[in-house]
Amino acid sequence: MTKLAVAVPSRGRPHNLKRLVEALENTCTGDYKVFARVDMDDPELNGYLKIKNAEIIVGDRLFFTKSLDELAQLALERGFTHIAILGDDVLPETIGWDVKMIQALNNKLGVVYGSDGLEHLHGQDLPTHVVVPIEMYKKLGWIGLPGSRHLFCDNAWRELGKLTQLIYLKDVKLTHLHRWNKKAPNDQTYEEANDKVKRELDKKAFETWRDGEGLEKARKALQ
């Protein structure tokens, strides 16, 4: 029996998380649970703690990538079979998207993703919001790109998909309400995530992983 952990790192946006949780209630048809990782120094912490139907994990500030690994470890320990990685600015729209994505993997390792509505900007082959078997995390020891703070995780997931299976479900709508497409106001979280200097550091982390020993280690781990 499949069990889906929905992992959502978030900061400064309890309203976004509440919207996402409500959308999940309206669209998920399988067994799932929401785990949101928030920071103890978040000025909006009290707002997060009021949200129902989500387990709020509070801790030191880890930023996006390490938060994903913390949530993946929790999902592994809790016996979940798959993990969905969603931003707090995602709005699932397709009924049964969770079951469709899990079934597409066909009980094999791989990366499956839907349409975020931004393919015209970043390309169709970039898996921005994904579902993967928890076995991927178990074999790799990570699900967020090693060395990255926030960005280029999706680039790494694309490479992992190439090693296993990379599945795009264009009819599964996981719409990204981002400042990029003017569907969200700019805020401090976006500013920090897309800081030019830190973006270059994350890009370098991806290139070092891809072009060095990291990708080959992943290949061997996923065989």
Side-chain angles (χ1 to χ4, degrees):
M1 182 177 178
T2 60
K3 291 177 59 180
L4 179 67
V6 180
V8 190
S10 187
R11 182 177 176 87
R13 298 170 174 170
H15 54 289
N16 273 19
L17 182 63
K18 184 175 184 292
R19 179 184 64 196
L20 173 58
V21 169
E22 291 173 350
L24 293 171
E25 291 171 355
N26 292 328
T27 57
C28 287
T29 57
D31 187 4
Y32 79 97
K33 184 177 179 64
V34 182
F35 296 93
R37 178 48 163 85
V38 302
D39 306 321
M40 63 175 58
D41 68 346
D42 192 328
E44 302 293 335
L45 179 58
N46 287 336
Y48 283 107
L49 298 178
K50 294 176 183 177
I51 295 174
K52 299 178 180 179
N53 299 323
E55 184 169 337
I56 309 299
I57 313 299
V58 183
D60 292 335
R61 192 169 188 189
L62 297 178
F63 297 96
F64 182 80
T65 305
K66 289 184 178 179
S67 294
L68 288 183
D69 288 341
E70 181 177 297
L71 294 176
Q73 179 62 33
L74 180 61
L76 176 64
E77 293 171 358
R78 297 276 189 93
F80 287 83
T81 60
H82 295 76
I83 183 168
I85 299 170
L86 303 181
D88 64 17
D89 53 358
V90 171
L91 184 66
E93 298 184 63
T94 302
I95 303 298
W97 67 270
D98 53 328
V99 173
K100 292 176 187 289
M101 294 179 79
I102 290 173
Q103 288 180 341
L105 290 166
N106 197 27
N107 296 315
K108 298 176 182 177
L109 297 179
V111 177
V112 58
Y113 63 109
S115 172
D116 68 359
L118 295 175
E119 290 92 335
H120 63 293
L121 296 175
H122 59 59
Q124 184 174 295
D125 68 336
L126 189 67
T128 53
H129 307 287
V130 302
V131 171
V132 301
I134 200 67
E135 187 71 13
M136 293 272 284
Y137 168 75
K138 187 176 180 180
K139 286 178 175 290
L140 292 168
W142 57 271
I143 203 61
L145 172 66
S148 165
R149 173 178 171 272
H150 187 105
L151 302 175
F152 290 88
C153 288
D154 41 16
N155 297 78
W157 296 332
R158 178 168 55 193
E159 297 303 319
L160 295 178
K162 291 177 182 178
L163 296 178
T164 52
Q165 53 178 342
L166 184 63
I167 304 167
Y168 171 55
L169 301 179
K170 66 179 180 179
D171 294 328
V172 171
K173 304 301 182 184
L174 299 176
T175 304
H176 199 179
L177 304 178
H178 196 277
R179 69 171 189 175
W180 204 10
N181 57 357
K182 297 181 173 57
K183 291 189 176 182
N186 194 23
D187 61 14
Q188 186 177 356
T189 301
Y190 282 133
E191 290 287 345
E192 291 183 353
N194 294 278
D195 176 85
K196 290 182 179 180
V197 173
K198 292 168 183 173
R199 177 184 177 83
E200 285 303 309
L201 292 174
D202 285 354
K203 181 180 180 182
K204 184 176 181 180
F206 168 68
E207 291 173 344
T208 298
W209 173 81
R210 181 195 61 193
D211 301 333
E213 297 180 354
L215 185 57
E216 184 57 30
K217 287 182 178 178
R219 185 192 308 277
K220 291 178 180 178
L222 297 175
Q223 287 179 345

